[in-house]
């Protein structure tokens, strides 16, 4: 996986697709591999830049611990790739950095998508992944085999193939934890301290997508975001959890319309 030396330090990233630049910030835990998987699941028609946030895979935590520091690192990445402006899509824990980037570097953000994203202080239960049985590679591999055999453990009552495939594609990029430990522990710390006060500074168009049955990042994070981002559009996915929202066709259509409007140089399409 390529790594670029930026003014903030080394940042590992992957790129897929062509067209309008889109910076995809993965969830907790994740990495550039998760960004690529998310791009495919969401059917993104764009030049997707998928970095490993600090502490994940090939990007050291020293590049940036707080959402504000990570936002600076992402701007440095865009600089290194000679990208002036990009749409920023933050998934789950990546939403913290996405919001900081849009608030503090508005000239670099064409539009903001918050997908099942952290929008308020919360506790991320990282201990089982950092110190429990799931921190062992053999257990990780056994869990993934079980999920492939019984995807209902992820998708609940969802039966459509698209939701199942989407959930499994993302779950595959949560492990192995070894190279994601620092980022996971740091995200858990930052989520507890997350400051939502800067949201009022966000001027870019915003799309918020969230499932009503999300237990990882509860739906109230989306409604909280709408209070602080009154110009945003909320797409609610009834009955979807953290894993199945990405496979919802209506959410995919809304995202495609939002991006198409930004690509046209105007406001997103309704």
């Amino acid at each position: 996986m390529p790594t670029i030396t930026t003014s903030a330090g080394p940042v590992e990233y992957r790129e897929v697709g062509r067209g309008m630049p889109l910076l995809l910030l993965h969830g907790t835990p994740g990495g550039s591999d998760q960004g690529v998987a998310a791009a495919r699941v969401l059917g993104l028609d764009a030049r997707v830049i998928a970095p490993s946030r600090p502490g994940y895979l090939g990007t050291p935590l020293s590049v940036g611990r707080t959402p504000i520091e990570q936002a600076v690192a992402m701007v440095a990445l865009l600089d290194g790739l000679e990208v002036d402006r990009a749409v920023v899509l933050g998934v789950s824990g990546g939403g913290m950095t996405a919001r900081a980037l849009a608030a503090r570097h508005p000239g670099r953000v064409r539009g903001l998508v918050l997908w099942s994203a952290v929008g308020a202080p919360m506790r991320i239960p990282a201990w089982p992944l950092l110190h429990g049985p799931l921190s062992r590679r053999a257990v990780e591999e056994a869990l993934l085999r079980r999920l492939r055999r019984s995807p209902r453990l992820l998708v609940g009552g969802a039966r459509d193939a698209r939701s199942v495939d989407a959930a499994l594609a993302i779950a595959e990029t949560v492990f192995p934890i070894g190279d994601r430990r620092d980022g996971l522990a740091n995200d858990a710390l930052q989520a507890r301290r997350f400051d939502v006060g800067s949201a009022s500074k966000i001027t870019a168009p915003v799309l918020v997508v969230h499932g009503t049955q999300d237990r990882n990042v509860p739906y109230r994070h989306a409604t909280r975001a709408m209070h602080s981002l009154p110009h945003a559009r909320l797409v609610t996915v009834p009955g979807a959890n953290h894993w199945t929202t990405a496979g919802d066709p209506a959410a995919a259509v809304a995202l495609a319309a939002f991006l198409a409007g930004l690509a046209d140089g105007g406001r997103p399409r309704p």
Side-chain angles (χ1 to χ4, degrees), residues 192-216:
R192 291 198 301 270
R193 300 173 172 177
F194 185 45
D195 179 10
V196 300
S198 63
S200 61
K201 300 178 182 178
I202 296 175
T203 57
V206 182
L207 178 69
V208 179
V209 182
H210 221 106
T212 58
Q213 298 302 310
D214 192 328
R215 294 184 179 181
N216 297 57

Side-chain angles (χ1 to χ4, degrees), residues 8-255:
V11 177
E12 177 193 85
Y13 73 101
R14 299 187 190 186
E15 282 197 50
V16 292
R18 296 180 179 180
M20 178 175 63
L22 186 150
L23 182 68
L24 200 159
L25 302 177
H26 64 80
T28 305
S32 59
D33 53 350
Q34 188 175 103
V36 170
R40 290 171 178 158
V41 164
L42 297 175
L44 297 177
D45 183 14
R47 175 192 175 186
V48 177
I49 302 164
S52 293
R53 292 190 290 107
Y56 290 103
L57 301 183
T59 304
L61 184 57
S62 59
V63 169
R65 294 175 180 270
T66 69
I68 293 173
E69 292 169 350
Q70 292 192 11
V72 170
M74 294 304 102
V75 169
L77 172 63
L78 295 178
D79 288 343
L81 297 176
E82 299 183 344
V83 173
D84 181 40
R85 299 173 71 220
V87 178
V88 178
L89 193 161
V91 179
S92 190
M96 295 184 287
T97 299
R99 286 171 61 132
L101 181 50
R104 293 182 172 267
H105 306 275
R108 309 304 296 270
V109 178
R110 197 167 189 168
L112 174 65
V113 181
L114 299 173
W115 194 284
S116 303
V118 173
M122 68 171 291
R123 176 182 175 274
I124 295 176
W127 192 93
L129 293 172
L130 293 172
H131 307 292
L134 286 174
S135 63
R136 299 196 292 270
R137 186 63 183 270
V139 178
E140 294 172 348
E141 292 174 349
L143 175 60
L144 288 174
R145 289 194 298 269
R146 186 178 180 190
L147 292 176
R148 295 184 196 110
R149 292 194 304 268
S150 303
R152 68 180 182 278
L153 295 172
L154 279 178
V155 303
R159 297 177 181 272
D160 61 289
R162 178 170 176 160
S163 293
V164 171
D165 290 345
L168 288 174
I170 301 301
E172 295 272 2
T173 61
V174 169
F175 302 107
I177 291 296
D179 292 335
R180 309 173 206 258
R181 290 179 60 87
D182 290 348
L184 172 57
N186 182 65
D187 278 357
L189 175 63
Q190 301 305 324
R192 291 198 301 270
R193 300 173 172 177
F194 185 45
D195 179 10
V196 300
S198 63
S200 61
K201 300 178 182 178
I202 296 175
T203 57
V206 182
L207 178 69
V208 179
V209 182
H210 221 106
T212 58
Q213 298 302 310
D214 192 328
R215 294 184 179 181
N216 297 57
V217 182
Y219 182 70
R220 65 177 178 272
H221 285 251
T223 57
R224 176 77 176 268
M226 294 304 294
H227 287 308
S228 57
L229 299 166
H231 59 288
R233 180 190 173 195
L234 173 62
V235 175
T236 296
V237 185
N241 66 22
H242 202 63
W243 301 99
T244 59
T245 300
D248 182 76
V253 169
L255 175 59

